[in-house]
């Protein structure tokens, strides 16, 4: 990789992470309780602990906070089977 | 289950586990650096620490990757699985320290940004000896970061178990990158072929274990009979094949179903735990509830729901028993649907529905 590409890539990552941090602090303070009831009374240790992941995945969580989406339910083949009628 | 989230859910067993892990890491680093200084008096502590941290990390990575398949092969390894996430985070911190020290040691002295320097230094893709092995380590570290950063239960709930699991399957990509990082970089300065062999042996061990465990499971899946009655129930096994308070795992509707016997009752539920897809059929029934062998989530076998105040739900299946054989309908009921357990008639082993 040449220096220009490397610097450009790192700049983009730094920008993304900075935006993530600006979003992340209010999110772990307030937003997280809005999208997950179990987080409403979450401890501060928990809030700091999820911050790195929030900075990494912030667009997903921003979308969920904006739409007030609760945690999705996991989807296994059995549950897909309920909907589809035939299970085998 | 449904408590308010805390940073770490410690209990006595987890504390002991973490204490043992920490002690192991400190002892290893002490021996590595101390032994290195004694054997090679010219070596600097920094270099030895970089190598020691890298070596500790890769050893721990092998332990972590072995735990899953070992537990699938033999239940006695389950205590190791119990707190594997803390091992994972410990491993990440070791790898991070190794990467950070390397960057400080080898890249922070010039004028270029150290990270730019990692990505651009010795960029000779056309030769093995000049291949940029450090970017490979960096790429692996990015994946390990994502895994460590999403290891809290919050992420499991909010990304859903299948997505979370897919993310954590990337550990094999990262493992491959680490193998290359070590083979192309670190081993070049080593003259002893011993280290290369050790690395290869590690890879064979990790992939071999996976293959053996997967092969055994697919044999279990194929082991059931295919008889089908007029209402679409499938014969899965005989009552006697299920030990009391235990299950037999069969494969129906693309996924495994756990058929439990507890006292004179038989119930069938999805084998997949809502928490981290643990194998419920390898758990037991305790105080009337199925207990997941991985982290102890509980489910009522007849309804597939966790006892209040918890709210987890898994799909249930209709069951019947006749002439000592167990029949299960392969159509899953929506998660949390109550199904009357089939009753095993005691004296003859015969049963009504
Ligand atoms: C930013 C990321 C990384 C950088 C810059 C980096 C850099 C280096 C360097 C410069 C060496 C050679 C040390 C020497 O020969 O003196 C090395 C060796 C090594 N690295 Fe990394 N590394 C990174 C990530 C990783 C990761 C994620 C692992 C995962 C386990 C790892 C495992 C190892 C191992 C096992 C060695 C061999 C140690 C030995 O020679 O005894 N590295 N790394
Ligand atoms: S997978 Fe964690 S309790 Fe079942």
């Amino acid at each position: 990789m040449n220096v220009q590409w490397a610097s450009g890539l790192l700049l983009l990552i730094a920008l993304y992470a900075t935006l993530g941090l600006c979003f992340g602090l209010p999110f772990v303070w307030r937003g997280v309780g809005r999208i997950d009831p179990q987080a409403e009374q979450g401890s501060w240790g928990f809030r700091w602990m999820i911050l790195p992941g929030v900075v990494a995945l912030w667009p997903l969580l921003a979308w969920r906070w904006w739409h007030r989406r609760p945690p999705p339910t996991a989807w296994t083949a059995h549950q897909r089977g309920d909907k589809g009628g035939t299970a085998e | 289950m449904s408590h308010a989230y805390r940073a770490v859910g410690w209990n006595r067993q987890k504390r002991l586990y973490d204490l043992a892990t920490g002690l192991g890491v400190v002892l290893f680093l002490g021996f590595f650096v101390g032994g290195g200084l004694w054997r090679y008096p010219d070596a600097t502590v920094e270099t030895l620490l970089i190598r020691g941290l890298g070596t500790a990390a890769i050893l721990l990575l092998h332990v972590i990757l072995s735990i899953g398949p070992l537990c699938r092969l033999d239940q006695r390894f389950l205590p190791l699985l119990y707190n594997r996430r803390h091992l994972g985070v410990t491993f990440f911190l070791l790898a991070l320290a190794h990467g950070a020290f390397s960057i400080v040691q080898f890249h922070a002295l010039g004028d270029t940004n150290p990270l730019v320097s990692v990505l651009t230094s010795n960029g000779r893709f056309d030769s093995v000896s000049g291949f940029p092995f450090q970017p490979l380590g960096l790429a692996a570290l990015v994946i390990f970061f994502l895994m460590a950063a999403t290891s809290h239960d919050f992420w499991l709930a909010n990304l859903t178990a299948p997505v979370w699991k897919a993310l954590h399957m990337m550990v094999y990509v990262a493992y491959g990158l680490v193998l290359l990082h070590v083979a192309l970089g670190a081993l070049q300065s080593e003259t002893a072929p011993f280290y290369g062999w050790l690395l290869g042996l590690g890879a064979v061990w990790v992939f071999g274990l996976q293959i053996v465990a997967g092969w055994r499971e697919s044999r279990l899946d194929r082991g059931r009979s295919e008889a089908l009655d007029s209402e679409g129930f499938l014969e899965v096994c005989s009552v006697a094949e299920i030990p009391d308070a235990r299950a037999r795992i069969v494969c129906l509707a693309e996924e495994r179903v756990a058929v439990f016997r507890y006292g004179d009752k038989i119930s069938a539920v999805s084998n997949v735990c809502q928490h981290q897809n643990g194998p419920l059929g390898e758990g037991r029934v305790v105080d009337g509830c199925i207990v997941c062998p991985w982290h102890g989530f509980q489910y009522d076998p007849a309804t597939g729901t966790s006892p209040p105040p918890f709210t987890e739900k898994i799909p249930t299946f209709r069951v019947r028993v006749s002439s000592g054989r167990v029949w299960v309908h392969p159509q899953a009921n929506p998660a949390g649907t109550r199904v009357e357990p089939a009753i095993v008639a005691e004296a003859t082993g015969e049963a009504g529905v």
Side-chain angles (χ1 to χ4, degrees), chain A residues 10 15 24 31-32 36 39 43 45-47 67 77-80 86:
Chain A
L10 287 171
L15 209 67
V32 66
D36 186 341
S43 69
F46 153 73
R47 290 166 202 269
H67 293 277
H78 284 151
Q79 283 154 353
R80 280 194 298 277
T86 56

Side-chain angles (χ1 to χ4, degrees), chain B residues 72-307:
Chain B
R72 282 152 66 197
L73 287 170
D74 191 329
Q75 307 231 334
R76 274 169 298 179
F77 288 102
L78 277 172
L80 287 176
L81 190 82
Y82 185 52
N83 208 14
R84 182 170 55 169
R85 253 188 286 183
H86 290 193
L87 277 190
V89 173
T90 308
F91 155 77
F92 168 70
L93 294 177
L94 285 170
L96 181 68
H98 160 83
F101 278 149
S102 303
I103 290 172
V104 169
Q105 174 94 336
F106 299 112
H107 299 277
L109 302 172
D111 299 331
T112 32
N113 175 323
L115 281 169
V116 171
S117 165
V118 172
L119 289 174
T120 53
S121 62
N122 57 339
R124 299 218 0 242
F125 294 91
D126 55 343
S127 94
V128 172
S129 61
F131 197 92
F133 71 98
Q134 295 185 55
L136 296 173
L138 184 60
L141 199 59
V142 169
I143 295 178
F144 293 133
F145 162 74
L146 279 177
M147 293 177 50
T150 57
S151 60
H152 193 277
D153 266 346
F154 165 80
W155 294 105
L156 192 63
N158 281 274
L159 295 173
T160 72
V163 173
W164 190 84
K165 225 179 160 181
L167 179 69
H168 282 242
M169 278 295 131
M170 296 229 308
V171 73
Y172 290 103
V173 177
Y175 178 59
L177 290 168
V178 167
L179 287 181
L180 287 175
H181 168 74
V182 181
L184 293 174
L187 293 184
Q188 288 186 9
S189 49
E190 289 293 345
T191 35
F194 170 69
Y195 292 102
W197 283 109
L198 215 58
L199 195 69
L201 206 69
V204 169
W205 164 258
V206 164
F207 289 112
L209 262 185
Q210 287 286 352
I211 291 169
V212 171
W215 174 74
R216 235 187 58 160
E217 279 177 0
S218 72
R219 267 196 7 170
L220 289 180
D221 283 350
R222 269 187 274 118
R224 74 191 164 81
S225 71
E226 292 287 338
L228 190 77
D229 78 357
S230 58
E231 287 168 64
F233 279 77
L234 274 167
E235 185 184 342
V236 294
C237 61
S238 76
V239 172
E241 279 177 272
I242 318 176
D244 188 33
R246 290 275 192 173
R248 187 174 161 106
I249 302 170
V250 296
C251 194
L252 304 170
E254 297 166 50
E255 259 180 58
R256 277 187 275 267
V257 175
V259 185
F260 277 93
R261 181 156 83 91
Y262 45 115
D264 60 348
K265 299 195 181 106
I266 297 216
S267 290
V269 297
S270 163
N271 190 46
V272 183
C273 179
Q274 273 282 287
H275 178 223
Q276 275 177 37
N277 300 357
L280 288 175
E282 290 170 25
R284 341 164 141 259
V285 178
V286 180
D287 296 333
C289 275
I290 299 166
V291 180
C292 177
W294 282 11
H295 319 90
F297 274 37
Q298 296 171 304
Y299 301 91
D300 178 341
T303 62
T305 52
S306 294

Side-chain angles (χ1 to χ4, degrees), chain A residues 4-5 15-16 27 31 34 36 48 57 60 69:
Chain A
Q4 260 159 14
W5 276 99
L15 209 67
Y16 177 87
F27 176 82
R34 301 282 157 84
D36 186 341
W48 287 116
L57 302 175
L60 172 78
R69 285 288 156 86

